[in-house]
Amino acid sequence: MHPQTRLGRFEHHTEWPLAAVALLFLGLYSAQILLEPRGSTAAAITDAMRALYFVFVVDYLARLYLADPRAKWFVRHLFDLAIVVLPFLRPLRLLSLAVVVEVLQRAVGDTIRGRVIIYTVFGAAVMIYAASLAMLDVERHAPDAHIKTFGDALWWAITTVTTVGYGDYTPVTGEGRIVAVALMIGGVTLLGVVTATLASWIVQRVAAEDTANQTATWAQIEELREEIHRLTKLVADDREPAYGEGREGI
Amino acid sequence: MHPQTRLGRFEHHTEWPLAAVALLFLGLYSAQILLEPRGSTAAAITDAMRALYFVFVVDYLARLYLADPRAKWFVRHLFDLAIVVLPFLRPLRLLSLAVVVEVLQRAVGDTIRGRVIIYTVFGAAVMIYAASLAMLDVERHAPDAHIKTFGDALWWAITTVTTVGYGDYTPVTGEGRIVAVALMIGGVTLLGVVTATLASWIVQRVAAEDTANQTATWAQIEELREEIHRLTKLVADDREPAYGEGREGI
Amino acid sequence: MHPQTRLGRFEHHTEWPLAAVALLFLGLYSAQILLEPRGSTAAAITDAMRALYFVFVVDYLARLYLADPRAKWFVRHLFDLAIVVLPFLRPLRLLSLAVVVEVLQRAVGDTIRGRVIIYTVFGAAVMIYAASLAMLDVERHAPDAHIKTFGDALWWAITTVTTVGYGDYTPVTGEGRIVAVALMIGGVTLLGVVTATLASWIVQRVAAEDTANQTATWAQIEELREEIHRLTKLVADDREPAYGEGREGI
Amino acid sequence: MHPQTRLGRFEHHTEWPLAAVALLFLGLYSAQILLEPRGSTAAAITDAMRALYFVFVVDYLARLYLADPRAKWFVRHLFDLAIVVLPFLRPLRLLSLAVVVEVLQRAVGDTIRGRVIIYTVFGAAVMIYAASLAMLDVERHAPDAHIKTFGDALWWAITTVTTVGYGDYTPVTGEGRIVAVALMIGGVTLLGVVTATLASWIVQRVAAEDTANQTATWAQIEELREEIHRLTKLVADDREPAYGEGREGI
């Protein structure tokens, strides 16, 4: 983002490696939750995930160390801290996969709105998938839980993120509710992004509709400036011969 | 939309025929779901719908073939693919009826905001009706289903699309949930469009209120340019006689 | 609104009388629903309400007659038709009380945003009250109904209009659901108006923050025009004496 | 806010003392609700809270007295009146803690959008916490209540403020419902603020993207004005020597 600072350079270089780690983490986490392996496989997956998780912790600490001013970075990245510290929020670390969006962007174009749309769709998909996995993980074996299959968890996540909130499936454990709150905040932001993008599009279109009332643009002001430049040159040229004439007239 | 490209010309020419096919499909689908015919009538309707559905598949393939670049079109029209491939999403193909909006537009005027409003109202109505039919189709005979009449389905669809989500009627089958997710995405977009249209209207009105702080417009810059033109002409005219005078003065 | 047309003049003159009729209607309707009178009182109230309702029908027909073009007015005022035709939507006619807002406006100021806020707050209050009355009316005596007191109806209306939609109280009759749908549409619009007003405010504040990047305004363009006028006059004045001088120089 | 008026000066000077009172009130209220003290401790807390509450009443009356015009202030601060008069809304008085935001602002920067974000996050947190306490207070001992622990109350508050509204925990008492309505209004506004801030950001970014179509700014108009000034000076200078020359030519 800011390759001119030390933190910026660090983030630029670790972007793709971290996305690879996140993808591996996603694969192992999905396997652990959806396949429910037992015995040595389960132990191996747990060990591998612990190692990958250690990478995230190191990344967080490295970024905190490189940040300047550090206190400001800490306050602004409390969410990153929560993801690192709270085990059941860990899947949200997958949002670092957002770097994959760069590949998708080539197919969609490169305007601000295009990028906002692609980040929103991709971010929403990752958020819903990760929250479903996390919810299934913490609720599945709770007594009186409603969410017992991945299908239920996915259905719950989508009804939550769109703020529809039927309430036919709701988390009953404390951890499940923290995951739900993270997803609700995501949902409110998602709604906001969708609306804001549409608003930006409509405002632009309404403005483009009526040429006479269109907002004056930089391009127009530049044309005006050139016109005034030509005029100034004309007046200046006019002055020169006037002097000459004057002298000739003497 | 883009009559200058081959795809644009194709879409321009097939617009109304496809709307007719969609309307016929809607009629047959409504009859099939709401009247629950039996025997040869049911078989005839099923055959007719299969034929109409084949038209949509051909249309999708033709558009994919004509698109340039094809990969970009494919990525941008994944939703069209889903409608063609997933049988219970087929009713959403009715959204191609949106072309009927052209007729309604004559009654409402032709500004961007007018068009956005009419597309929103019409699109929401078609989406709610089609989703209700599809939901009734997949849920009706499911054990433990809540949605057993068209009234229930319509009520469910409206509470969902407005994101109210009472949860008194919710889908219980996988197919029903996919229909619901499509409707929720539609609902979030609907909310966004309503808000964005209002925002555009309020922003414009607030700007119009205070003349002194109104945004400079193209029309004003044009007036300024004319003024400078007149001035330039005056200076240029001034120069000519100045030369003449000079000569006379000799 | 448009005092220059016949419809505009009609609406301007009937504004306050209709508000009085609406207020009377509101009082009688509230009495009928909340006090549940019996015998001759009930009959008297019913008769009075029928008479007031007749005023609304006449008003609708008069406006339809005066409208030009009539077809366009009809399409744009389908909601008014629904209010006149569907008995349980009649309370929504109270929205014509919005004219009372004119009095409130004097306390709040007269900017566009001030007016939007006051219309929103007043409109939401009337809509919630009227929908609660209508809901109580149609649900109260239905078997298996959840909404049996005015408190329940009010609680249901507020959870619906904010799109929270707990679902602890939901309508079970067809008429109740139509009232609910009207309220949901109102709720979606309400959310949109709140967001749009805030967006307009933030956009304006962000623009005002950074003077150098502020949008060019009418006032500035006017100043520029005056500057150019002065310059043009200077050049024109310059030309006159130049001629004179020239002659003197001979 | 407005240090030039008497009310403004009063509010400026009482800002931090009132925040201290609010913080103390929050601590006592939290202790009272969460620890459920008995005997003399309970009595002491109740007395202390009554004294602090008296400060709020005095503050409200003082502001009403100093306001000019008083009627307008009264209408615009009905919510403040509700907080003072309705005992179970009292915790919302904690919103006066917003002044603490000034400290946080130094860490986040001082742009309009930065301030809007920090007020939103802080305001939402205080609102959710205060509403949870109030809800627990009024519901806890009600028969058939769902909300019996602080965890439940917090979960209910978050699902409500995001308008998800599962309906798994809902208030059953009248007081609880009034708290809920206050929170819903807060939630609708919260959603609006999030969306509006995002919209403002996207509109600005989209505008910044395309230099040629960027809106003309104050800075540009100023440059134009300077250019014209230089031109005017050139013409005026031109005129002086022209006179001089003329004289010399005589």
Side-chain angles (χ1 to χ4, degrees):
Chain A
M1 308 258 171
H2 312 286
Q4 61 274 24
T5 65
R6 276 168 66 211
L7 176 59
R9 273 195 302 277
F10 177 77
E11 286 181 340
H12 185 75
H13 285 114
T14 56
E15 212 170 35
W16 281 98
L18 272 175
V21 170
L23 203 63
L24 204 55
F25 189 86
L26 179 68
L28 290 172
Y29 191 64
S30 302
Q32 193 189 42
I33 304 296
L34 299 180
L35 306 178
E36 290 193 271
R38 288 165 181 280
S40 62
T41 323
I45 287 179
T46 306
D47 287 351
M49 283 179 72
R50 215 165 272 165
L52 294 177
Y53 169 64
F54 186 69
V55 175
F56 294 143
V57 174
V58 167
D59 172 60
Y60 177 81
L61 293 174
R63 279 153 70 217
L64 179 59
Y65 172 75
L66 292 170
D68 179 36
R70 214 164 282 160
K72 196 170 172 177
W73 190 90
F74 180 77
V75 169
R76 287 192 167 200
H77 293 77
L78 281 173
F79 190 67
D80 295 34
L81 180 64
I83 288 175
V84 162
V85 168
L86 301 172
F88 43 88
L89 282 184
R90 251 172 250 174
L92 292 179
R93 195 65 190 77
L94 299 175
L95 287 174
S96 70
L97 282 173
V99 81
V100 175
V101 164
E102 274 186 25
V103 180
L104 294 171
Q105 241 164 59
R106 283 168 216 160
V108 179
D110 202 41
T111 58
I112 286 285
R113 260 203 302 269
R115 252 177 298 168
V116 166
I117 291 167
I118 221 172
Y119 272 103
T120 307
V121 169
F122 184 86
V126 167
M127 199 165 60
I128 288 169
Y129 182 72
S132 301
L133 281 181
M135 185 54 88
L136 186 61
D137 189 18
V138 297
E139 289 277 313
R140 186 155 46 183
H141 302 301
D144 309 319
H146 310 135
I147 300 169
K148 292 187 171 296
T149 71
F150 184 66
D152 292 347
L154 203 60
W155 169 244
W156 162 82
I158 294 169
T159 57
T160 297
V161 94
T162 54
T163 80
V164 169
Y166 287 131
D168 50 350
Y169 291 86
T170 51
V172 295
T173 65
E175 291 95 333
R177 286 181 179 172
I178 293 176
V179 173
V181 167
L183 192 62
M184 282 174 207
I185 294 169
V188 166
T189 314
L190 179 70
L191 275 176
V193 171
V194 169
T195 303
T197 310
L198 286 164
S200 142
W201 181 82
I202 290 177
V203 165
Q204 203 177 44
R205 278 309 187 81
V206 167
E209 190 178 34
D210 176 9
T211 318
N213 282 319
Q214 258 176 32
T215 299
T217 62
W218 274 29
Q220 283 184 304
I221 296 281
E222 281 315 307
E223 278 175 55
L224 253 189
R225 191 203 304 280
E226 269 165 45
E227 200 113 7
I228 293 174
H229 257 303
R230 273 197 297 277
L231 175 58
T232 308
K233 222 176 144 237
L234 197 67
V235 170
D237 287 359
D238 198 28
R239 194 180 177 180
E240 284 306 305
Y243 273 106
E245 261 170 62
R247 272 174 222 122
E248 277 167 39
I250 296 169
Chain B
M1 310 257 170
H2 311 287
Q4 61 274 25
T5 64
R6 277 167 67 210
L7 177 58
R9 273 194 303 275
F10 176 77
E11 285 181 341
H12 185 74
H13 284 115
T14 56
E15 214 171 34
W16 282 98
L18 273 175
V21 170
L23 203 64
L24 202 55
F25 189 86
L26 179 68
L28 289 171
Y29 192 65
S30 302
Q32 192 189 41
I33 303 295
L34 299 180
L35 307 177
E36 290 193 270
R38 287 162 182 282
S40 62
T41 322
I45 288 179
T46 306
D47 287 351
M49 284 180 71
R50 215 165 273 164
L52 295 177
Y53 170 64
F54 186 68
V55 175
F56 293 144
V57 175
V58 168
D59 172 60
Y60 177 81
L61 293 174
R63 279 155 69 217
L64 178 60
Y65 172 75
L66 290 170
D68 180 36
R70 213 164 281 159
K72 197 170 173 177
W73 190 90
F74 180 77
V75 169
R76 287 190 166 201
H77 293 77
L78 280 174
F79 190 66
D80 294 34
L81 180 64
I83 289 175
V84 162
V85 167
L86 301 172
F88 43 87
L89 283 184
R90 250 172 251 171
L92 293 179
R93 196 63 190 76
L94 299 173
L95 287 174
S96 70
L97 281 172
V99 80
V100 174
V101 164
E102 274 185 26
V103 179
L104 294 170
Q105 241 165 60
R106 283 169 216 158
V108 179
D110 202 41
T111 59
I112 286 285
R113 261 203 302 269
R115 251 177 299 168
V116 166
I117 292 167
I118 220 172
Y119 271 104
T120 306
V121 170
F122 184 85
V126 167
M127 198 164 61
I128 289 168
Y129 183 72
S132 301
L133 282 182
M135 186 53 88
L136 186 62
D137 189 19
V138 296
E139 289 277 313
R140 185 155 47 184
H141 302 301
D144 309 318
H146 310 134
I147 301 168
K148 292 187 169 296
T149 70
F150 183 67
D152 292 346
L154 203 60
W155 170 244
W156 161 82
I158 293 170
T159 58
T160 297
V161 95
T162 54
T163 80
V164 169
Y166 288 130
D168 50 351
Y169 291 86
T170 50
V172 294
T173 64
E175 290 96 334
R177 287 180 179 173
I178 293 175
V179 172
V181 167
L183 193 62
M184 282 174 206
I185 294 170
V188 166
T189 316
L190 180 69
L191 276 176
V193 170
V194 169
T195 302
T197 310
L198 285 164
S200 142
W201 181 82
I202 290 177
V203 165
Q204 203 177 43
R205 278 309 189 80
V206 166
E209 190 177 35
D210 175 9
T211 317
N213 282 318
Q214 258 177 31
T215 299
T217 61
W218 274 29
Q220 283 183 303
I221 296 281
E222 281 315 306
E223 277 176 55
L224 253 190
R225 191 204 305 280
E226 268 165 45
E227 201 113 7
I228 293 174
H229 257 304
R230 272 197 298 276
L231 174 59
T232 308
K233 223 177 142 234
L234 197 67
V235 169
D237 287 0
D238 197 28
R239 196 180 175 180
E240 284 307 306
Y243 274 106
E245 261 170 62
R247 271 176 222 122
E248 277 167 38
I250 296 168
Chain C
M1 309 256 168
H2 311 285
Q4 60 274 24
T5 65
R6 278 167 66 209
L7 177 59
R9 274 194 303 275
F10 177 78
E11 286 180 341
H12 186 74
H13 285 115
T14 55
E15 213 170 34
W16 281 97
L18 273 175
V21 169
L23 203 63
L24 203 55
F25 189 86
L26 179 67
L28 290 173
Y29 191 65
S30 301
Q32 193 189 41
I33 303 296
L34 299 179
L35 307 177
E36 290 193 90
R38 287 164 181 280
S40 62
T41 322
I45 287 180
T46 305
D47 287 351
M49 283 180 73
R50 213 165 275 163
L52 294 177
Y53 170 63
F54 185 68
V55 175
F56 294 144
V57 174
V58 167
D59 172 60
Y60 177 81
L61 293 174
R63 279 154 68 217
L64 178 59
Y65 172 75
L66 290 170
D68 180 37
R70 214 164 282 161
K72 197 170 174 177
W73 190 90
F74 181 78
V75 170
R76 286 190 168 200
H77 293 76
L78 280 174
F79 190 67
D80 294 34
L81 180 64
I83 289 174
V84 162
V85 168
L86 300 173
F88 43 87
L89 283 184
R90 251 172 252 174
L92 293 178
R93 196 63 190 77
L94 299 174
L95 288 174
S96 70
L97 280 173
V99 81
V100 174
V101 164
E102 273 185 28
V103 180
L104 295 170
Q105 242 164 60
R106 282 169 217 159
V108 179
D110 202 41
T111 58
I112 286 284
R113 261 204 300 269
R115 252 177 297 168
V116 167
I117 291 167
I118 220 172
Y119 272 103
T120 305
V121 170
F122 184 86
V126 168
M127 198 165 61
I128 288 168
Y129 182 72
S132 301
L133 282 182
M135 185 52 89
L136 186 61
D137 190 17
V138 296
E139 290 277 314
R140 187 155 45 183
H141 302 301
D144 309 318
H146 310 133
I147 301 168
K148 291 186 170 297
T149 71
F150 184 67
D152 293 345
L154 203 60
W155 170 244
W156 161 82
I158 292 170
T159 57
T160 298
V161 94
T162 54
T163 80
V164 169
Y166 288 131
D168 51 350
Y169 292 85
T170 51
V172 295
T173 65
E175 290 95 336
R177 287 180 179 173
I178 293 175
V179 172
V181 167
L183 193 63
M184 282 174 207
I185 294 169
V188 166
T189 314
L190 179 69
L191 275 176
V193 170
V194 169
T195 302
T197 310
L198 285 163
S200 142
W201 181 82
I202 290 177
V203 165
Q204 203 176 43
R205 277 310 188 79
V206 167
E209 191 177 35
D210 175 9
T211 317
N213 283 317
Q214 257 176 32
T215 300
T217 63
W218 275 28
Q220 283 183 303
I221 296 282
E222 281 313 306
E223 277 177 55
L224 253 191
R225 191 203 305 279
E226 268 166 44
E227 201 113 7
I228 292 173
H229 257 304
R230 272 197 297 277
L231 175 58
T232 308
K233 219 173 147 241
L234 197 67
V235 170
D237 287 0
D238 198 28
R239 196 181 174 180
E240 284 306 305
Y243 273 106
E245 262 171 61
R247 270 175 222 125
E248 278 167 38
I250 295 168
Chain D
M1 310 258 170
H2 312 286
Q4 61 275 22
T5 65
R6 277 167 66 210
L7 177 58
R9 273 194 305 275
F10 177 79
E11 286 181 339
H12 185 75
H13 285 113
T14 56
E15 213 170 36
W16 282 97
L18 273 176
V21 170
L23 203 64
L24 203 56
F25 189 86
L26 179 68
L28 290 171
Y29 191 65
S30 302
Q32 193 190 42
I33 304 295
L34 299 180
L35 307 177
E36 289 192 272
R38 287 164 182 282
S40 61
T41 322
I45 288 180
T46 305
D47 287 351
M49 282 179 73
R50 214 165 274 165
L52 294 177
Y53 170 62
F54 185 69
V55 175
F56 294 143
V57 174
V58 168
D59 172 59
Y60 177 81
L61 292 175
R63 279 154 69 218
L64 179 59
Y65 172 75
L66 292 169
D68 179 37
R70 214 164 281 159
K72 196 170 173 175
W73 190 89
F74 181 78
V75 169
R76 287 191 167 199
H77 293 76
L78 281 174
F79 189 66
D80 294 33
L81 180 64
I83 289 174
V84 163
V85 168
L86 301 173
F88 42 88
L89 282 184
R90 250 171 252 174
L92 292 179
R93 196 63 190 77
L94 299 174
L95 288 174
S96 70
L97 280 172
V99 80
V100 174
V101 164
E102 274 186 25
V103 179
L104 294 171
Q105 240 164 60
R106 283 168 216 159
V108 179
D110 202 39
T111 59
I112 286 284
R113 259 203 303 269
R115 252 177 299 167
V116 166
I117 291 168
I118 221 171
Y119 272 103
T120 306
V121 170
F122 184 86
V126 168
M127 198 165 61
I128 289 169
Y129 182 72
S132 301
L133 282 182
M135 186 53 89
L136 186 61
D137 189 18
V138 296
E139 290 277 312
R140 186 153 47 182
H141 303 301
D144 309 319
H146 310 135
I147 301 168
K148 292 187 169 297
T149 70
F150 183 66
D152 292 346
L154 203 60
W155 170 245
W156 161 81
I158 293 170
T159 58
T160 297
V161 94
T162 54
T163 80
V164 169
Y166 288 131
D168 50 351
Y169 292 86
T170 51
V172 295
T173 65
E175 290 95 335
R177 286 180 179 172
I178 293 175
V179 172
V181 167
L183 193 62
M184 282 174 206
I185 294 169
V188 166
T189 315
L190 179 69
L191 275 177
V193 170
V194 169
T195 302
T197 310
L198 285 164
S200 142
W201 182 82
I202 290 178
V203 165
Q204 204 176 43
R205 279 308 188 80
V206 167
E209 191 178 33
D210 174 10
T211 316
N213 282 319
Q214 256 177 32
T215 300
T217 62
W218 275 29
Q220 283 183 304
I221 296 280
E222 280 316 305
E223 278 176 55
L224 254 189
R225 190 202 305 279
E226 269 167 43
E227 201 114 6
I228 293 173
H229 257 304
R230 273 197 297 276
L231 175 58
T232 309
K233 223 178 142 234
L234 197 67
V235 170
D237 287 1
D238 199 27
R239 195 181 175 179
E240 284 307 304
Y243 272 106
E245 261 172 61
R247 270 174 223 124
E248 278 166 39
I250 294 171

